[in-house]
Amino acid sequence: MLRFAAIGLDHRHIYDLTAGLLAAGAECAGHDPETSDPRVLAGFRKRFPHVPAVTREMLLDDPSIGFIVLAAIPRDRAALAIEAMRRGKDVMVDKPGVTTAEQLAAIESAVRETGRIWSIALGRLTSPAVQVALEVAQSGELGRLVSLTSLAPHRLNRALRPDWFFDRDAYGGIINDIGVHSIDQFLAFANASDATIAASTIGCFGTEPQGFEDFAEIALRSPTMTGTMRLDWFTPDGLPDWGDGRLFLVGTEGTLELRKNLDIEGRAGGDHMFVANKKRTRHQDCSGMPVTYYRDFLDDVRDRTGRMLDGGRVFSVCRLALRCQAEAVRFTP
Amino acid sequence: MLRFAAIGLDHRHIYDLTAGLLAAGAECAGHDPETSDPRVLAGFRKRFPHVPAVTREMLLDDPSIGFIVLAAIPRDRAALAIEAMRRGKDVMVDKPGVTTAEQLAAIESAVRETGRIWSIALGRLTSPAVQVALEVAQSGELGRLVSLTSLAPHRLNRALRPDWFFDRDAYGGIINDIGVHSIDQFLAFANASDATIAASTIGCFGTEPQGFEDFAEIALRSPTMTGTMRLDWFTPDGLPDWGDGRLFLVGTEGTLELRKNLDIEGRAGGDHMFVANKKRTRHQDCSGMPVTYYRDFLDDVRDRTGRMLDGGRVFSVCRLALRCQAEAVRFTP
């Protein structure tokens, strides 16, 4: 059985990552009790009462621990990941994996030098609906893909957020933080390792504190298709989910829509797919489809066959997110 | 009773315009039998058997006719409209009203000199759902508007299309032709008379003949909000409507979605609105809501109070569409 440690309990995403790994058959050998937000630590202990608190140093020294899962403050993730890799551990990290280009370069070096796995748990990998949509696109049912449009609203949840959530240096900016999912998704559907930036905009529409990046829109181009991605922190309080995330694909012979989180005023649950092809329309509830990311990660930790290396795409995704962030035009009404 | 003539029976849109005016209480005094597409003329005669064929010259000379409705080949519409205005008629024209900046300038001069009405039957004006969405936005339920996203797929319907449909000079390009609706809609929600172009892209994804503009995407900025509009000719054959048109609004306190044409694999009919506000979500079937455009036009023809002049917004809309068309970056996979 593969043993791992949970380190950097600063973001609640650590709960899903840990739960996914446990469900896939790994054992959590311990959690690092250092945190910037005691509420996150308390939530972890409530969810995983059998996982002992162990100091970070002891966890990183323990040769029985094969990898760590990491949800520290984003700006600290790269240094922690590099430290873990240099001490022989693979790494699964919450997004964003890095907040600067320098951190990304250091991660790439560390991966090259140590041969360790560095995997970001991106939304594409953990979404049943996106996995099914990728299969539909690859099947040819939609013809050649022309365009992707992604809408990714998020709930601000101000009461739950620690100070670092509002500090751009800490999270790396809205595109680096939540746009990285959308950029990864576009490159996957475009089957491309990179894209050109047709436009990138970051908006500040008045969410406190002043200068908080509450909106962004990115237009990317692969050699074969276009993609436009909207990100924002404006999920209304009355929506019964953290965001009404959508994906729209246009192909030369079919179209596809995902309602990832919910079907507003419609069907129960999330992961709804709607396809129109040459013959008909169809709806599929994808919520029961398997998410193989955690199992694939564990297989890769065990047999080192490179599923998680993905031809280096994860580095391209981070690099592109950092570029979109850096090159964005600012919009303030 | 207001009498009008149907002139330029080249596009099937003449049917809806004529039907809307008849339903609003006008009388169709005659139709001009000149056409580039005998199928369109035959369809008109089948739908409106009581409307006599009269030569264009006689219709324009008839002092009992107050206005004309016009769906000629787009590049010919401006000259016909100007001719009609100079002969004392108001004009309701199918979109696009013009295909070049020179035509637009000539129309503006003719309107100024003759005092006639020149109104384009834009989608915003004839869509119950858009009219309701404008009311919701103006009510403040969504807070301050942040962003608009519009998806406007259209069915190519190759078998029905005359040659001029595939000739860019004849229709003025995809943004001028079908993007004018989306641009008008953005300016209405932004309550702005103009916008800056953040990005404009026109794609040729292989629809024959070579060079046919089958895709476009426009990103606009008003002083207060952003807007992104996608247009394409890729409605799949299996969709039971000419296009799954959508509108998404993000506000600081609420969001809104329109499914204009249909609710794919869902409810019957079109004009569906979904709102999430601070308290709850709600669905509204807007299909029964009144469309006042035709009645407003007739009132304006009668009492000259300027409803259709709209502060000159129609000229701004056409000018912006022509600029987006001219400045677009070309994308060919």
Side-chain angles (χ1 to χ4, degrees):
Chain A
M1 178 181 279
L2 286 167
R3 284 161 56 84
F4 72 99
I7 289 180
L9 275 54
D10 295 292
H11 196 295
R12 285 174 175 76
H13 286 157
I14 196 74
Y15 308 156
D16 281 347
L17 301 183
T18 300
L21 287 162
L22 293 175
E27 179 191 0
C28 190
H31 72 271
D32 169 10
E34 274 188 53
T35 183
S36 62
D37 189 342
R39 298 170 298 180
V40 176
L41 182 62
F44 186 91
R45 287 173 168 167
K46 188 173 167 192
R47 282 169 181 77
F48 309 106
H50 65 286
V51 175
V54 182
T55 67
R56 183 177 297 177
E57 283 305 304
M58 286 180 68
L59 292 169
L60 291 176
D61 279 338
D62 183 343
S64 78
I65 291 177
F67 67 97
I68 69 163
V69 58
L70 185 59
I73 298 174
R75 77 172 144 214
D76 300 332
R77 290 175 186 176
L80 279 166
I82 290 167
E83 173 75 12
M85 288 191 282
R86 295 211 183 284
R87 292 164 82 166
K89 315 293 189 216
D90 295 312
V91 175
M92 174 183 285
V93 60
D94 178 34
K95 66 78 211 165
V98 297
T99 56
T100 68
E102 293 70 30
Q103 290 180 5
L104 180 60
I107 289 277
E108 289 194 71
S109 292
V111 167
R112 206 163 42 233
E113 289 161 19
T114 64
R116 292 292 108 195
I117 296 165
W118 181 74
S119 178
I120 307 179
L122 292 162
R124 166 181 62 93
L125 299 164
T126 58
S127 161
V130 175
Q131 293 298 314
V132 175
L134 278 164
E135 287 168 19
V136 171
Q138 285 157 5
S139 77
E141 183 177 359
L142 310 180
R144 286 177 288 112
L145 289 188
V146 166
S147 158
L148 172 153
T149 303
S150 155
L151 309 179
H154 289 61
R155 174 163 282 141
L156 189 65
N157 268 337
R158 183 179 293 277
L160 290 183
R161 303 297 188 181
D163 288 347
W164 62 258
F165 178 87
F166 297 99
D167 173 1
R168 191 171 72 192
D169 287 343
Y171 67 89
I174 185 172
I175 296 177
N176 184 69
D177 184 13
I178 56 179
V180 69
H181 289 305
S182 306
I183 290 169
D184 169 66
Q185 182 177 254
F186 173 69
L187 291 179
F189 280 98
N191 193 25
S193 59
D194 202 2
T196 57
I197 304 169
S200 178
T201 302
I202 291 176
C204 297
F205 283 87
T207 304
E208 294 289 328
Q210 202 187 346
F212 179 72
E213 300 177 349
D214 52 20
F215 177 88
E217 195 173 73
I218 314 160
L220 298 178
R221 306 288 178 257
S222 84
T224 60
M225 65 183 283
T226 73
T228 299
M229 290 132 252
R230 190 192 81 205
L231 324 163
D232 68 72
W233 287 105
F234 289 114
T235 290
D237 291 344
L239 193 86
D241 199 281
W242 58 262
D244 186 357
R246 304 286 182 101
L247 172 72
F248 294 91
L249 298 173
V250 177
T252 52
E253 296 180 355
T255 56
L256 182 150
E257 174 184 2
L258 295 184
R259 299 180 194 152
K260 296 182 182 182
N261 302 62
L262 81 166
D263 180 24
I264 182 172
E265 288 281 313
R267 300 163 180 82
D271 288 290
H272 292 283
M273 180 174 72
F274 302 83
V275 175
N277 60 29
K278 289 169 83 166
K279 298 281 172 78
R280 62 190 183 96
T281 62
R282 61 190 172 90
H283 163 261
Q284 183 178 338
D285 178 346
C286 306
S287 60
M289 301 300 287
V291 167
T292 65
Y293 170 63
Y294 298 103
R295 199 177 64 215
D296 289 347
F297 179 88
L298 295 181
D299 287 349
D300 216 18
V301 167
R302 191 183 297 109
D303 62 23
R304 321 303 297 174
T305 45
R307 287 174 193 80
M308 290 299 131
L309 297 180
D310 208 9
R313 181 176 281 168
V314 67
F315 301 131
S316 302
V317 167
C318 293
R319 198 157 28 240
L320 190 51
L322 288 163
R323 277 182 51 218
C324 289
Q325 178 74 34
E327 295 176 16
V329 174
R330 300 283 158 168
F331 184 87
T332 304
Chain B
M1 178 181 276
L2 287 167
R3 285 161 56 85
F4 70 99
I7 289 182
L9 274 55
D10 295 292
H11 196 295
R12 285 174 176 76
H13 286 157
I14 195 74
Y15 308 156
D16 280 348
L17 301 184
T18 300
L21 287 162
L22 293 175
E27 179 192 0
C28 190
H31 72 272
D32 168 11
E34 274 190 52
T35 183
S36 62
D37 188 342
R39 297 170 299 179
V40 176
L41 181 62
F44 186 90
R45 288 174 169 168
K46 187 173 168 190
R47 283 169 181 78
F48 309 106
H50 65 288
V51 175
V54 183
T55 68
R56 183 177 298 177
E57 283 305 305
M58 286 180 67
L59 292 168
L60 291 176
D61 278 339
D62 184 343
S64 78
I65 291 176
F67 67 96
I68 69 163
V69 58
L70 185 58
I73 298 174
R75 76 172 144 214
D76 300 331
R77 290 175 185 177
L80 279 167
I82 290 167
E83 173 74 11
M85 289 190 282
R86 295 211 183 284
R87 292 164 82 166
K89 316 293 188 213
D90 296 314
V91 175
M92 174 183 286
V93 60
D94 178 34
K95 66 78 209 164
V98 296
T99 56
T100 69
E102 293 69 29
Q103 290 179 6
L104 180 60
I107 289 277
E108 288 193 72
S109 292
V111 168
R112 207 165 37 234
E113 289 161 20
T114 64
R116 293 291 109 196
I117 297 165
W118 181 75
S119 178
I120 307 179
L122 292 161
R124 167 179 63 92
L125 299 164
T126 58
S127 161
V130 175
Q131 292 299 312
V132 175
L134 277 164
E135 288 168 18
V136 170
Q138 286 156 5
S139 77
E141 182 177 0
L142 311 180
R144 286 177 287 113
L145 288 189
V146 167
S147 159
L148 172 153
T149 302
S150 155
L151 309 180
H154 290 61
R155 175 163 283 141
L156 189 65
N157 268 338
R158 183 179 293 278
L160 289 183
R161 303 298 188 181
D163 288 348
W164 62 259
F165 179 87
F166 297 99
D167 173 1
R168 192 171 71 193
D169 286 343
Y171 66 89
I174 185 171
I175 295 177
N176 185 69
D177 184 14
I178 56 179
V180 69
H181 289 305
S182 306
I183 289 169
D184 169 66
Q185 182 177 254
F186 173 69
L187 291 179
F189 280 98
N191 193 25
S193 59
D194 201 1
T196 58
I197 304 169
S200 178
T201 302
I202 292 176
C204 298
F205 282 88
T207 304
E208 294 288 330
Q210 203 187 343
F212 180 72
E213 300 178 348
D214 51 20
F215 177 88
E217 196 173 73
I218 314 160
L220 298 178
R221 305 287 178 258
S222 85
T224 60
M225 65 183 285
T226 73
T228 298
M229 290 132 253
R230 191 192 80 205
L231 324 164
D232 69 72
W233 287 105
F234 289 115
T235 289
D237 292 343
L239 193 86
D241 199 280
W242 59 262
D244 186 357
R246 303 286 183 101
L247 173 73
F248 294 91
L249 297 174
V250 177
T252 53
E253 296 181 356
T255 56
L256 182 149
E257 174 183 2
L258 294 185
R259 300 180 194 153
K260 295 181 183 182
N261 302 61
L262 80 167
D263 180 24
I264 182 171
E265 288 282 313
R267 299 161 181 83
D271 288 291
H272 293 283
M273 180 174 73
F274 301 83
V275 175
N277 60 28
K278 290 170 82 168
K279 298 280 171 79
R280 62 190 183 95
T281 62
R282 61 191 172 89
H283 163 260
Q284 183 178 339
D285 178 346
C286 305
S287 60
M289 301 299 286
V291 167
T292 65
Y293 171 62
Y294 297 103
R295 199 177 64 214
D296 289 347
F297 179 87
L298 295 182
D299 287 349
D300 217 18
V301 167
R302 190 183 299 110
D303 61 22
R304 322 303 297 174
T305 46
R307 288 174 191 80
M308 290 299 131
L309 298 178
D310 208 9
R313 183 175 280 168
V314 68
F315 301 131
S316 303
V317 167
C318 293
R319 197 157 29 240
L320 189 51
L322 288 164
R323 277 182 49 217
C324 289
Q325 178 73 36
E327 295 176 14
V329 175
R330 299 283 158 168
F331 184 88
T332 304

